[in-house]
Amino acid sequence: MFLGDVELSMEKLIINGGHRLEGHVKISGAKNAVLPIIAATLLGQDQPSILDEVPALEDVHTITEVLRKLGVKASFDTAGHQLHVDSTAIDSCEAPYDLVRKMRASFLIMGPLLARCGKAKISLPGGCAIGTRPIDLHLKGFEALGADIHIGHGFIEASAPEGLKGAKIYLDFPSVGATENILMAASMAEGQTVLENPAQEPEIVDLANYLNVMGAKIRGAGTNVIKIEGRPKLTGRAYTIIPDRIEAGTYMVAAAMTQGNVYIENAISEHLKPVIAKLKEAGVTIEEDIDGIRVSCSKRTKTVDIKTMPYPGFPTDMQAQFMAMMAVSEGNGLVTETVFENRFMHVDELKRMGAHIRIDGRTSMVEGVERLTGCQVKATDLRAGAAMVLAGLVADGETQVGYIHHIDRGYDNLVEKLVGLGADIRRVDQ
Ligand code: UD1
């Protein structure tokens, strides 16, 4: 439901805390891998792309809707987690505000549209709950590839009537979105592109793998230099999305906080090294095998210090969940956020539940308390929402989490998965 410019969710989560999580949970495909990969399907000619392990998330519906606005045929089998995208014909290069404002990642269609159609017009993404999030690095990349950029009337227009040309590009900061947009644009540019200081996240590697399956020639994804040899044409293909390391990390923290014992199927330990290291430091037992990770914890966790960094550093998308864990851990710890400004919105909500946290600039000081108390809180953004659910799982009494449309953007079947592990959580209409 929309009220003016504010989107309100009519549902909330009710959690009764104090249940130990036990059992087995299966991790879905990665949100941050599938969104750029869906954008990249725009590059596929000749035949449709068939994507498997696509999580049933609001963000996936939104980007699929953006593609439909461009004239692309897309059908999503949410139960089967399969998305068919037929981009053989594209009849518009313009993405409207009503969809772009719902999800900044819509801007990921600019690179593929420029490459495929020689032009793109996208509504400016605007602000966001976790900082201003500029797109200057994306635009600098497109310009280096020979595009003209024009900003006005709330839109960004890019055009390259003669086609894009390979270039050497250095990113001032390893932006995930800028790396992805440049990878997609350069895949069909003439000649070679060398991208220095790119983001190295597993989701970048997944996108590069899919582009290579489509016929692109990309080398070095996941390292600090990516080389792309442009190809005149790419073809739609079948591809399976990697598991979501942030969803996995969230269940790992849930198991630790509830002093539970949970096997997290599909979690890839290689992608979760900093999360695993910090959980071990907090006193949690982690056993890794080829299919997943078992997390068990028999006593109250200890606080740790964390500092978010681009991959392979500690992920900013796990910061709020760790803060929830530290809020009930033994001792004092520091949480430093270096990737985003203003990503401490969950602090006030955790404090409402009795947490002792003080913010000083980009650092939060957490003094662990024995117990949190359930109350009404809200999901201020996606991961902040996850943190409130985690806090609710261990709080005394009932916690009500509102604004859960944020959580639905990024967690596939959260309630069902937590109930399967023994949590007392349900979704109700406000
Ligand atoms: C992606 C993830 C998001 C994650 C983030 C960092 C998706 C869909 N989203 O977001 O979940 O939290 O990576 O791991 O994959 N920046 C600039 N100029 C730019 C682009 C970014 O200054 O042109 C800054 C941003 O303001 C921010 C930082 O770089 O402070 C990181 O942003 P970026 O890596 O681009 O994140 P996203 O791709 O938006």
Side-chain angles (χ1 to χ4, degrees):
M1 171 190 165
F2 292 93
L3 189 65
D5 212 31
V6 183
E7 194 176 343
L8 295 178
S9 165
M10 295 306 290
E11 292 177 314
K12 62 183 172 186
L13 296 177
I14 309 271
I15 308 163
N16 277 296
H19 297 269
R20 182 170 183 264
L21 297 193
E22 246 179 322
H24 155 271
V25 62
K26 190 170 172 191
I27 298 308
S28 301
K31 170 180 91 72
N32 288 353
V34 79
L35 296 177
I37 286 174
I38 294 173
T41 61
L42 287 169
L43 295 166
Q45 297 177 54
D46 295 337
Q47 60 183 40
S49 282
I50 300 168
L51 305 180
D52 279 304
E53 295 299 335
V54 176
L57 303 173
E58 268 314 300
D59 275 5
V60 170
H61 290 293
T62 305
I63 198 157
T64 306
E65 208 42 51
V66 173
L67 260 54
R68 290 195 184 106
K69 287 267 188 238
L70 307 174
V72 164
K73 292 191 198 75
S75 63
F76 186 13
D77 166 11
T78 48
H81 297 287
Q82 193 177 69
L83 180 69
H84 279 242
V85 184
D86 184 348
S87 300
T88 43
I90 296 178
D91 23 86
S92 160
C93 298
E94 188 172 326
Y97 181 61
D98 60 331
L99 288 171
V100 176
R101 77 177 188 112
K102 273 176 105 175
M103 187 185 68
R104 277 183 51 92
S106 312
F107 197 68
L108 289 171
I109 65 168
M110 185 152 240
L113 279 182
L114 247 182
R116 174 90 187 265
C117 316
K119 60 180 180 179
K121 182 175 176 184
I122 301 181
S123 174
L124 274 165
C128 150
I130 54 174
T132 48
R133 301 183 89 170
I135 44 169
D136 55 311
L137 297 170
H138 302 236
L139 301 182
K140 266 164 87 175
F142 296 144
E143 278 177 331
L145 294 170
D148 288 325
I149 308 285
H150 177 74
I151 301 180
H153 304 288
F155 278 91
I156 299 183
E157 279 184 82
S159 63
E162 309 299 319
L164 298 170
K165 306 262 185 306
K168 192 163 184 176
I169 302 169
Y170 175 85
L171 288 182
D172 296 338
F173 180 87
S175 154
V176 172
T179 302
E180 291 165 346
N181 243 334
I182 293 167
L183 268 187
M184 293 186 277
S187 290
M188 283 183 71
E190 192 190 319
Q192 199 187 79
T193 297
V194 178
L195 181 57
E196 292 177 333
N197 197 31
Q200 300 180 27
E201 271 70 359
E203 294 78 19
I204 303 283
V205 178
D206 211 34
L207 171 64
N209 286 343
Y210 169 60
L211 289 168
N212 284 339
V213 167
M214 296 175 95
K217 193 169 176 196
I218 301 173
R219 301 290 177 263
T223 73
N224 60 2
V225 181
I226 305 180
K227 292 187 178 157
I228 307 138
E229 188 74 48
R231 290 280 185 255
K233 191 174 174 189
L234 301 181
T235 310
R237 290 279 183 231
Y239 193 73
T240 302
I241 309 298
I242 52 164
D244 195 311
R245 65 193 163 101
I246 305 301
E247 188 196 15
T250 304
Y251 287 103
M252 289 168 80
V253 173
M257 283 175 78
T258 60
Q259 296 178 21
N261 185 336
V262 177
Y263 185 72
I264 297 159
E265 186 186 334
N266 278 350
I268 300 178
S269 53
E270 182 70 19
H271 296 170
L272 283 154
K273 281 183 184 166
V275 170
I276 290 173
K278 286 292 164 186
L279 283 172
K280 284 184 175 169
E281 206 180 310
V284 179
T285 304
I286 309 275
E287 296 157 86
E288 303 164 26
D289 68 33
I290 193 160
D291 295 319
I293 299 176
R294 177 169 297 283
V295 180
S296 57
C297 189
S298 54
K299 57 181 188 312
R300 188 178 171 205
T301 48
K302 296 189 283 266
T303 48
V304 289
D305 291 335
I306 60 166
K307 185 174 185 178
T308 67
M309 301 285 270
Y311 192 86
F314 189 92
T316 173
D317 285 350
M318 283 302 300
Q319 182 254 104
Q321 300 90 314
F322 259 69
M323 180 104 75
M325 181 177 81
M326 286 164 65
V328 289
S329 297
E330 196 185 318
N332 301 331
L334 297 178
V335 176
T336 306
E337 174 59 57
T338 76
V339 177
F340 287 109
E341 310 156 34
N342 194 19
R343 203 175 192 178
F344 282 146
M345 311 252 288
H346 41 283
V347 169
D348 278 343
E349 300 301 307
L350 287 170
K351 281 164 82 172
R352 288 171 54 74
M353 298 177 75
H356 289 183
I357 307 172
R358 200 154 51 84
I359 302 178
D360 184 7
R362 291 199 155 200
T363 299
S364 284
M365 282 148 280
V366 187
E367 184 193 329
V369 295
E370 293 259 355
R371 310 219 56 85
L372 295 175
T373 47
C375 66
Q376 279 199 17
V377 289
K378 60 177 189 276
T380 51
D381 69 45
L382 166 57
R383 306 304 169 186
M388 300 326 297
V389 171
L390 293 175
L393 292 176
V394 295
D396 285 337
E398 185 179 280
T399 300
Q400 299 191 6
V401 186
Y403 287 58
I404 59 169
H405 54 278
H406 286 299
I407 301 177
D408 293 336
R409 286 186 38 225
Y411 286 92
D412 189 9
N413 272 324
L414 177 80
V415 170
E416 293 74 3
K417 288 184 184 183
L418 283 173
V419 167
L421 292 173
D424 182 347
I425 176 169
R426 63 189 197 280
R427 181 185 280 264
V428 295
D429 269 334
Q430 298 265 24

